[in-house]
Amino acid sequence: MNKFVSILGSTGSIGTQSLEVCEKHGFVINALAAHSSVELLAEQVRKFRPRYACIYNEEKYAQLKSLLSDVQVELLTGMEGLCRIAALEENDIVLNSVVGMVGLLPTLTAINAGKDVALANKETLVAGGELVMGLAAEKGVKIYPIDSEHSAVFQCLQGNKREQVRGMILTASGGPFFGYSYDQLRNVTKEQALHHPNWEMGSKITIDSATLMNKGLEFIEAKWLFDLRPDQIQIVVHRQSVIHSAVEYNDCSVIAQLGVPDMKIPIQYALLYPERLECPTKRLSLTDYGTLTFAEPDIETFKCLGAAIEAIGRGGAYPCLINSANEEAVGAFLHDKIPFIQIGEIVSSVLDRFEPSSIRSYEDVMKADTAARDYVRSIIG
Ligand code: MG
C-alpha cells in the first residue's frame, strides 16, 4: 500500500508496534519523531529511511545529528519540529502516539493542515476535546482512534445508524490492584504498580491503569470521539481484556469487538481502515480463556476514575485540569516523591480547588494546564 505515514512518538510502545504494522503493509514512512530515545530513533531512521526525523528534546539534537551524519534525512527538534512533521504535505495520515499534553498542538496542527489523524495520544481529546473535534469537523478530517477500547467502539459502529445507538460499554482490565481496599492501596510499591496483568505499555499509562485514571481518560475521550453524553457510557471491569468494548443499540442488541490484547490490531485498523488484512498478531482462542468475567468498577477506592467522570460531567476546563494534575502526580510518584495513594487524592482535590472556567482556545488549555501543575507542585513541595 502506497500510503505516506508520519509517526509522532515512534520509539514508544505504540510507535514501535505501528512501525511493525507499516512494514508489514509496505507503507511509506514519511517522518519519525521521538521524545528523547535518540539511539532507537537513529536506528529507525536507518531502517525506514523517512525524509524527516525529529527529536523533541533539543539537548539530544546534536547527538542525533552525529548518529545520522551519513544518512540523507532532514533533522528537526522541539515542538516546532513535531508540528512541522504533523503538517507535511505528503502525509496521508499522521499517527500521534506521543505521551502527555505535548501531543495536543501537533494534533491540532495536523487537523489544520487537513491531515487525517490516527490518535493514540489521550491528552489530545481529554484536554482539548471540544477544540479538536470542532476543528476536525470544520476541516473534514477523520480521527481514527488507536486505543483498544475506542477502536472497538469504532468497529462496532460500522454499518449501523449513529442515531440508533443507546450507549456504550467501556471495558477495563481493572489493573494490578483490582479488588484492593483503600487501606491496601497505601502500601503498594512502584514495582507492583508498573506491572500490568495484560498489557505491555509505557510507564505513564501503566501507572494510569493501576490508578484507573486511564479508564477515566478513556471515558472522557469516548464522550468526544463518539458524541455521547456521560450517562451513555458504562464502565465494566473485565479482567481478561478479551472484549475490548461494546455498543448497545436501541433494540437492546449489544455488539462487541473481541481479540487478544495486542495493540497491533487497533493500530492496523486505524491505518488500514476500512480494510481488514492479515495482522502480525495472535488469533483469539476463546476456549483458551474458558471464562470471561465482569464486575463494577470501584470508584470510591480508585479516586482518579471517580474524579474523571465527575470532571467530564462538569465540563469546561475540569477534564484538562484533572489530566494535567494527574500527569504531574504520576511524574512525582515515578520519581519516588509521593506514595501511590496520593495520586488519587491529588487528582480528586482538583475538583474542589478550581472554579469553573471554559476552554475556547489552545491558550485556554495551556492556562488550565499550568494552573493545575502549579497547584500539584505546591502540594508536593
Ligand atoms: Mg485503552
Side-chain angles (χ1 to χ4, degrees), residues 9-58:
S10 66
T11 56
S13 169
I14 297 289
T16 51
Q17 295 182 79
S18 299
L19 281 169
E20 225 181 294
V21 169
C22 287
E23 190 177 13
K24 165 138 183 113
H25 298 289
F27 288 160
V28 181
I29 302 299
N30 191 33
L32 294 174
H35 186 277
S36 41
S37 301
V38 65
E39 270 146 23
L40 182 53
L41 178 63
E43 225 175 88
Q44 291 177 338
V45 169
R46 283 187 187 279
K47 181 166 177 189
F48 292 96
R49 296 295 168 139
R51 288 183 58 189
Y52 306 84
C54 172
I55 189 83
Y56 178 73
N57 183 341
E58 298 180 6

Side-chain angles (χ1 to χ4, degrees), residues 135-150:
L135 189 63
E138 186 190 317
K139 299 280 176 184
V141 158
K142 293 194 185 66
I143 310 268
Y144 296 106
I146 282 190
D147 216 339
S148 63
E149 293 80 359
H150 304 104

Side-chain angles (χ1 to χ4, degrees), residues 260-318:
V260 293
D262 185 333
M263 287 307 293
K264 287 194 282 293
I265 300 173
I267 290 168
Q268 176 166 312
Y269 195 68
L271 291 176
L272 260 69
Y273 175 83
E275 304 297 329
R276 291 189 180 277
L277 306 180
E278 205 151 306
C279 182
T281 186
K282 279 199 317 217
R283 291 175 63 192
L284 172 66
S285 164
L286 281 173
T287 51
D288 282 355
Y289 284 90
T291 309
L292 298 181
T293 59
F294 306 95
E296 293 261 7
D298 179 354
I299 62 171
E300 303 292 324
T301 302
F302 294 89
K303 288 179 183 288
C304 284
L305 178 56
I309 295 170
E310 173 69 22
I312 190 64
R314 291 192 195 180
Y318 284 111

Side-chain angles (χ1 to χ4, degrees), residues 100-280:
M101 278 289 287
V102 171
L104 176 59
L105 194 56
T107 302
L108 289 170
T109 307
I111 297 172
N112 251 321
K115 301 299 171 188
D116 288 344
V117 179
L119 190 61
N121 172 258
K122 295 200 152 105
E123 293 74 7
T124 286
L125 285 177
V126 171
E130 213 166 343
L131 288 180
V132 170
M133 295 315 285
L135 189 63
E138 186 190 317
K139 299 280 176 184
V141 158
K142 293 194 185 66
I143 310 268
Y144 296 106
I146 282 190
D147 216 339
S148 63
E149 293 80 359
H150 304 104
S151 175
V153 170
F154 181 56
Q155 295 181 53
C156 296
L157 288 170
Q158 300 303 314
N160 291 293
K161 290 191 175 154
R162 192 59 199 72
E163 65 274 19
Q164 292 171 355
V165 169
R166 178 174 289 159
M168 57 169 283
I169 298 164
L170 194 64
T171 53
S173 73
F177 307 131
F178 174 70
Y180 277 41
S181 69
Y182 201 65
D183 260 347
Q184 283 174 299
L185 283 186
R186 283 183 204 287
N187 302 315
V188 304
T189 64
K190 188 161 86 179
E191 287 61 40
Q192 288 173 305
L194 281 171
H195 185 77
H196 194 277
N198 302 340
W199 298 93
E200 290 269 350
M201 307 174 288
S203 56
K204 161 74 168 50
I205 183 171
T206 304
I207 299 304
D208 285 346
S209 297
T211 62
L212 297 200
M213 184 63 174
N214 184 51
K215 209 49 55 180
L217 300 179
E218 290 178 355
F219 186 100
I220 297 170
E221 283 181 280
K223 184 234 171 314
W224 292 119
L225 276 170
F226 306 113
D227 193 22
L228 297 165
R229 297 184 313 273
D231 66 285
Q232 288 177 292
I233 308 169
Q234 185 196 2
I235 296 174
V236 172
V237 177
H238 164 48
R239 296 292 284 157
Q240 297 78 22
S241 300
V242 167
I243 297 179
H244 297 305
S245 280
V247 174
E248 186 190 358
Y249 289 90
N250 285 339
D251 61 356
C252 297
S253 189
V254 177
I255 301 182
Q257 186 261 341
L258 286 72
V260 293
D262 185 333
M263 287 307 293
K264 287 194 282 293
I265 300 173
I267 290 168
Q268 176 166 312
Y269 195 68
L271 291 176
L272 260 69
Y273 175 83
E275 304 297 329
R276 291 189 180 277
L277 306 180
E278 205 151 306
C279 182

